Amino acid sequence: MRWKVLSVLGGLLALLLVGRLVAGSFNSSEAVDTTGASARRANSAADTPVRSASPAARATSSGPTPTTVVVQVAGPGVQVQSKPILLLNPSSVRPGSTIGVAGSGFDPGSTLDLFLKQREGDQADPATFVQADKGGNFGNVSLPLPAALPSGPFVVEARQRNSDKLASAAGVVAGGAPQVKLGTQVGKAGDVVQLSGEGFGANEEVAVYWNGVTGDPLAHLHSDGGGKIAEGSIQVPFGAVGNNGFIFVGATSQAPVTVPFLLLNLFPTVQLSSYALKPDTLLSFSGKDFGPGERVSVYLGSPDGPALAEVQADQSGAFAETGDLLIPFGLQGKQLLVFVGEQSGAPATAAFDLLPYTPNVQPSTYGGRPGTAITF
């Protein structure tokens, strides 16, 4: 009987231990909800928007890792050192133009000298001065550029008086197209035409051509430090009558400029030393308005035959008291001399009369005895 009671107590104790083990396993995991509350919480979670994950979390979940940009912003306690600045408007100009200058970062109310330089290290006198406002700024300062300032870079510098504060800005003088002005655009070969020019390179040689840049130049001109040709002259060469052109080409800039020129016809004239003479007499002549420095051929009657003589015109197209042409025997009456310029082809004529021979004889005496000698 006693053994049976012990057996029953042992079985109860074993059941109690098994129940405790099962309860512990349920506590270590999510408890089973038999009331339906778990389902209501799940539906509520589905309706609630999901918060965005951090960039690192999203990168881990899918796609490549984005590059992180770190921006450092100076806080209230950080001191940022300011530096004066200078601004030009515009920064690219033509010679003789005016630019606007503005600046900031200077001491309030300070006086600033503005310098215009071709290069940073050049020494120059102040072009003008300006006073900064209460904030150390200035603006709306008009600075004219000299017309002689060569094309290329230039520097504007603002220097604060009694201080080492300064600022500079660079600009560019754009090279303009060359321009040439002739004193006259109408003339004849041999005329000397005055001219002026601008827009060429500084101190460069300017070659002058006629109607084309092939062959040797007619002349060479020289520009000054500002690319100008203040005064110059050129002699009009031979050419076809009508529209022609001078071409000016800078040796450095290589920018050609063509100026039209209307070439007029030549109308030379000739004067004879005598307009009535006998054969076997020397005849000289003078002429003008032929081509400059050309030879002039002299024909008798027609230029189709051989030339009787040739004379040389000077650079003004003239010659004086030259020729010494011997009038041959056998000519009678009115004769015509034709003068033709070798290069210009311009003709001129001059007529003269040949005088007849009118011989007469006078004896030394018209009477005498036999044996008297008579001379004639």
Side-chain angles (χ1 to χ4, degrees):
M1 187 67 174
R2 191 174 190 178
W3 181 80
K4 289 181 180 183
V5 172
L6 291 175
S7 299
V8 172
L9 290 175
L12 291 174
L13 183 60
L15 289 175
L16 181 61
L17 289 175
V18 171
R20 285 178 178 264
L21 290 175
V22 172
S25 63
F26 277 107
N27 290 336
S28 63
S29 61
E30 186 178 354
V32 178
D33 184 12
T34 58
T35 63
S38 298
R40 288 192 299 271
R41 285 195 303 269
N43 292 335
S44 175
D47 294 337
T48 303
V50 180
R51 292 184 179 180
S52 298
S54 66
R58 289 197 301 268
T60 304
S61 60
S62 63
T65 302
T67 302
T68 302
V69 179
V70 179
V71 179
Q72 295 181 353
V73 180
V78 178
Q79 297 294 329
V80 179
Q81 185 176 3
S82 61
K83 181 180 179 181
I85 62 172
L86 202 65
L87 301 175
L88 303 181
N89 184 25
S91 59
S92 179
V93 292
R94 297 287 185 188
S97 302
T98 300
I99 58 173
V101 184
S104 63
F106 296 95
D107 292 340
S110 60
T111 301
L112 310 167
D113 291 316
L114 299 183
F115 298 85
L116 177 62
K117 304 179 180 180
Q118 192 170 353
R119 288 175 293 271
E120 187 79 32
D122 291 348
Q123 298 296 324
D125 295 329
T128 185
F129 69 92
V130 65
Q131 186 172 6
D133 59 15
K134 295 181 180 180
N137 309 315
F138 70 90
N140 299 323
V141 177
S142 297
L143 184 63
L145 298 181
L149 189 66
S151 59
F154 67 91
V155 176
V156 177
E157 183 179 275
R159 186 178 302 169
Q160 181 175 316
R161 294 181 184 177
N162 303 320
S163 173
D164 58 354
K165 287 189 175 182
L166 61 87
S168 62
V172 175
V173 176
Q179 297 179 355
V180 176
K181 182 179 180 180
L182 301 181
T184 178
Q185 292 182 254
V186 178
K188 61 183 184 299
D191 288 349
V192 177
V193 178
Q194 302 299 318
L195 61 89
S196 63
E198 61 181 12
F200 292 96
N203 300 311
E204 73 170 342
E205 185 177 85
V206 180
V208 185
Y209 296 88
W210 177 250
N211 289 330
V213 294
T214 58
D216 296 330
L218 297 176
H220 292 89
L221 306 172
H222 294 273
S223 64
D224 58 18
K228 284 189 173 183
I229 303 174
E231 294 181 0
S233 62
I234 187 70
Q235 188 176 43
V236 180
F238 298 104
V241 173
N243 293 322
N244 294 270
F246 287 105
I247 304 175
F248 301 82
V249 182
T252 304
S253 60
Q254 291 293 308
V257 54
T258 301
V259 182
F261 190 87
L262 179 61
L263 186 63
L264 301 178
N265 199 5
L266 291 173
F267 296 98
T269 59
V270 175
Q271 291 181 338
L272 304 180
S273 60
S274 177
Y275 291 90
L277 68 165
K278 295 177 180 180
D280 199 28
T281 304
L282 289 176
L283 178 66
S284 62
F285 26 77
S286 301
K288 63 179 181 179
D289 294 332
F290 285 93
E294 70 174 343
R295 285 190 305 177
V296 179
S297 299
V298 184
Y299 301 89
L300 180 62
S302 171
D304 296 334
L308 296 179
E310 288 184 345
V311 294
Q312 182 70 41
D314 59 19
Q315 288 302 310
S316 66
F319 51 86
E321 296 298 329
T322 186
D324 293 332
L325 179 64
L326 182 63
I327 303 302
F329 287 101
L331 299 178
Q332 297 178 356
K334 185 179 290 291
Q335 300 296 323
L336 183 68
L337 290 179
V338 181
F339 300 79
V340 180
E342 182 180 33
Q343 292 173 277
S344 66
T349 60
F352 65 95
D353 290 323
L354 278 176
L355 300 177
Y357 285 99
T358 56
N360 64 79
V361 177
Q362 295 180 356
S364 59
T365 181
Y366 289 92
R369 297 184 180 195
T372 303
I374 300 174
T375 59
F376 302 93

